[in-house]
Amino acid sequence: MNTFADRIIAFNQQLEFTGALPPGISIMNPFKESGPAMQVSSQFYRKYYSDEHPRHLILGINPGRFGSGMTGVSFTDPKRMINQCQIAFPGAMTHEPSSEYVYAMINAFGGIAEFYQQFYIHSVCPLGFTITGDNGKETNYNYYDTPALQKAVYPFIVENIQKQIDIGFETDVCFCFGTGKNEAFLKKLNDEKQFFKQIVALEHPRYIMQYKAKSKQDYIAKYIREFSKVLL
């Protein structure tokens, strides 16, 4: 039987950016690099997505170095992969604040199995980017951080949103993590391409953890309130 897990794993395996990036920007593809992301993420999807239950998409920005850049699963850092998902991670232990928030929300929702039976989280741009500063330090970069990068990856984004929809996800509502530039880009793109009937934007987990930590429980309640409207 061809399940969501089979199709998601195949999607991850085919991810490759072949275009030209602006100077100083590097692509981050955990599924093609030497780490355990392909192996670990495949275990994750076979554990939680080996079925045909309808699900809605949640799209973040693009993978970061310490979360899905390590594990291959959006908003899931190695700590959460081990402690929450009960899947071994044979690599460096990294911590991503966004992952901490998302799993607190998932537990409040009712648990990991319940949440992932209803939702699938990935990104507007399914591969990440880094930039190296003058000091030689590598940092995360977002697809919208410069017009040149956004233009360079636009066809790749369009192609892979369609490929993710074709996995079999619902298109009445798509959730967007990020109420600033990510929401603006995705809504404009959706107006052009008509991928989804509605985009519902929620404050990005990183923003909440960095600037609104005292109101974390309020945001979790808001997330659950919005997600509960589309349960299948």
Side-chain angles (χ1 to χ4, degrees):
M1 184 177 70
N2 186 262
T3 65
F4 272 111
D6 296 321
R7 297 192 294 275
I8 293 168
I9 292 166
F11 171 78
N12 288 337
Q13 288 172 329
Q14 62 83 44
L15 278 172
E16 187 168 11
F17 180 77
T18 57
L21 293 173
I25 308 297
S26 299
I27 197 81
M28 181 174 58
N29 186 344
F31 305 108
K32 301 288 186 186
E33 292 162 10
S34 60
M38 192 71 238
Q39 167 202 340
V40 172
S41 63
S42 297
Q43 290 181 48
F44 171 90
Y45 289 116
R46 289 189 180 108
K47 182 172 183 176
Y48 295 111
Y49 288 82
S50 288
D51 58 55
E52 282 296 332
H53 192 278
R55 291 173 170 89
H56 282 86
L57 269 166
I58 302 169
L59 296 178
I61 300 168
N62 45 243
R65 290 181 304 145
F66 301 127
S68 56
M70 298 292 290
T71 66
V73 178
S74 292
F75 293 93
T76 305
D77 62 16
K79 289 182 181 179
R80 257 48 64 169
M81 185 61 74
I82 295 168
N83 298 332
Q84 298 286 327
C85 303
Q86 308 298 312
I87 293 172
F89 183 82
M93 285 298 104
T94 56
H95 172 84
E96 185 184 62
S98 294
S99 183
E100 180 183 343
Y101 172 85
V102 164
Y103 277 86
M105 180 276 296
I106 286 173
N107 287 325
F109 178 87
I112 293 172
E114 290 80 1
F115 184 83
Y116 287 131
Q117 189 179 48
Q118 294 283 340
F119 300 100
Y120 164 79
I121 311 177
H122 217 288
S123 303
V124 168
C125 186
L127 295 180
F129 307 94
T130 61
I131 187 169
T132 303
D134 294 337
N135 60 358
K137 185 179 179 182
E138 194 175 42
T139 57
N140 285 330
Y141 211 67
N142 296 319
Y143 73 85
Y144 54 62
D145 280 343
T146 63
L149 177 58
Q150 185 171 301
K151 181 180 180 181
V153 300
Y154 182 87
F156 179 75
I157 288 173
V158 172
E159 175 188 352
N160 283 290
I161 288 178
Q162 186 60 60
K163 284 181 177 178
Q164 290 187 89
I165 291 171
D166 291 344
I167 289 172
F169 298 110
E170 303 298 298
T171 57
D172 56 334
V173 176
C174 174
F175 294 94
C176 170
F177 281 174
T179 53
K181 293 180 180 179
N182 201 40
E183 176 188 7
F185 176 89
L186 185 56
K187 284 189 172 180
K188 184 174 186 294
L189 179 63
N190 194 59
D191 288 343
E192 296 170 6
K193 302 296 182 181
Q194 298 294 302
F195 288 131
F196 309 102
K197 291 180 182 177
Q198 183 184 8
I199 305 287
V200 175
L202 297 163
E203 289 80 4
H204 195 279
R206 178 64 189 236
Y207 167 81
I208 295 168
M209 293 298 284
Q210 190 166 352
Y211 300 107
K212 300 288 184 180
K214 290 182 180 179
S215 302
K216 176 181 170 182
Q217 294 305 320
D218 294 333
Y219 284 104
I220 286 175
K222 179 180 179 180
Y223 269 48
I224 293 173
R225 194 162 57 244
E226 292 300 324
F227 291 153
S228 296
K229 294 176 182 177
V230 300
L231 298 184
L232 296 167

